[in-house]
Amino acid sequence: MHRITAPDGAGIVVHSTGTGPGLVVVHGGGVTIAEYRRLAARLADRFTVHLYNRRGRADAPPRREPYTVEQEIDDLGAVLAHTGTRWAIGHSYGAFVVLRAALRLPLERIAVYDAPLRLDGHGMSTAFLDPADAAVRAGDTARALAIVAAAVNPQSAASRLPLAVRTALTRAFLRTEVGRTMGSLVGMTLAESRQIVAHEGPAEQYAGITAETLLISGAKAAPFFTETNDLLATVLPRARTLRVPGSPHNGIAVAPPALTTPLAAFFTTPAVGGISR
């Protein structure tokens, strides 16, 4: 564990494990690095995996207001400089952070899983934002989280249940450790989602990314993640796509061999067999 200093003077704690070339993992919204321990463990025999909690969590500093994704990029830049690596993995909102960062930081290889971008009118619907914000203001965390979950996973059977039923189920979920974490961070998740909306535009805005890029989606996740990757692959000069069979939106945390094997190959060789453009 190392404590480093962000550009604004705040302290960031970096947790490292394994041996070999360095990889920095940028976690998604509503969670902490605890969700990525299995991924780190399954890569640790080939890489030194660096994890850090984004702001507003456990051992991380508070966010600056007004919040922008540029804060995340500054923090990631500090972690990259400290670890001496130019490779990064991002999941969900962390994937958005990594892609935005690759436009201005010296990243050489990046892998992103289920990037929730809004491109050319495609991507996750934004209709959930206002009702979820209203639920947060009313103090109804379960309702807010139920609304967010249905937006992220509209393809699931649970998302088609009436909101009252989903809210009741979410209240039970909030009694679990993961549920408590997600509930405590739901307001931050909505602020992050609004940053995605603020950067909505054509896929060509990412054409300046020169890093070798692996665009990953879960086959059991919402179809718009795969659609986003296909759009990005047409404009990124060094991009490949991978759709992981049977993998849901949190599949990167589950870290099955169908994901970790090609992911490790991507970071060790310039061309990865079995990955299509």
Side-chain angles (χ1 to χ4, degrees):
M1 185 176 74
H2 305 275
R3 184 174 293 275
I4 67 172
T5 303
D8 65 352
I12 300 173
V13 178
V14 180
H15 303 259
S16 304
T17 185
T19 57
L23 295 173
V24 174
V25 176
V26 185
H27 66 74
V31 295
T32 70
I33 61 172
E35 297 302 305
Y36 302 83
R37 297 296 189 187
R38 182 178 296 176
L39 174 69
R42 292 186 175 174
L43 295 175
D45 62 333
R46 290 157 286 187
F47 305 96
T48 303
V49 183
H50 306 287
L51 302 162
Y52 68 100
N53 279 312
R54 294 194 288 106
R55 297 194 184 209
R57 294 159 174 82
D59 56 5
R63 285 179 170 175
R64 300 192 311 274
E65 296 299 336
Y67 170 73
T68 70
V69 71
E70 295 302 315
Q71 297 176 35
E72 307 280 5
I73 297 171
D74 288 343
D75 289 350
L76 174 56
V79 175
L80 292 170
H82 172 76
T83 58
T85 184
R86 294 188 176 186
W87 297 353
I89 300 171
H91 173 218
S92 196
Y93 187 75
F96 172 68
V97 171
V98 169
L99 287 166
R100 299 303 306 181
L103 290 168
R104 72 172 175 88
L105 296 182
L107 285 159
E108 294 176 352
R109 294 190 189 185
I110 59 173
V112 294
Y113 186 102
D114 279 1
L117 307 186
R118 289 282 305 169
L119 300 175
D120 302 314
H122 298 275
M124 183 169 62
S125 170
T126 60
F128 74 99
L129 287 169
D130 287 345
D133 272 329
V136 169
R137 290 194 300 272
D140 195 340
T141 300
R143 183 182 178 90
L145 203 56
I147 293 169
V148 172
V152 176
N153 295 291
Q155 80 291 351
S156 72
S159 294
R160 293 190 288 273
L161 294 172
L163 178 56
V165 176
R166 289 187 278 119
T167 300
L169 293 172
T170 303
R171 286 200 178 94
F173 174 62
L174 286 170
R175 299 190 189 102
T176 68
E177 183 177 353
V178 174
R180 285 190 294 272
T181 298
M182 295 185 76
S184 69
L185 296 171
V186 67
M188 290 186 184
T189 300
L190 294 172
E192 293 170 355
S193 298
R194 292 196 182 276
Q195 280 295 293
I196 293 168
V197 174
H199 290 82
E200 180 173 355
E204 285 75 13
Q205 67 181 295
Y206 293 96
I209 294 176
T210 58
E212 183 95 10
T213 303
L214 179 60
L215 303 163
I216 313 170
S217 60
K220 290 186 69 176
F224 55 71
F225 292 118
T226 297
E227 293 167 4
T228 294
N229 286 353
D230 290 342
L231 287 170
L232 287 173
T234 65
V235 299
L236 268 62
R238 302 171 66 197
R240 293 181 286 273
T241 61
L242 171 67
R243 194 163 183 257
V244 184
S247 190
H249 183 57
N250 70 336
I252 192 169
V254 177
L259 169 61
T260 55
T261 299
L263 186 61
F266 169 74
F267 283 107
T268 52
T269 58
V272 184
I275 297 176
S276 60
R277 171 67 190 260

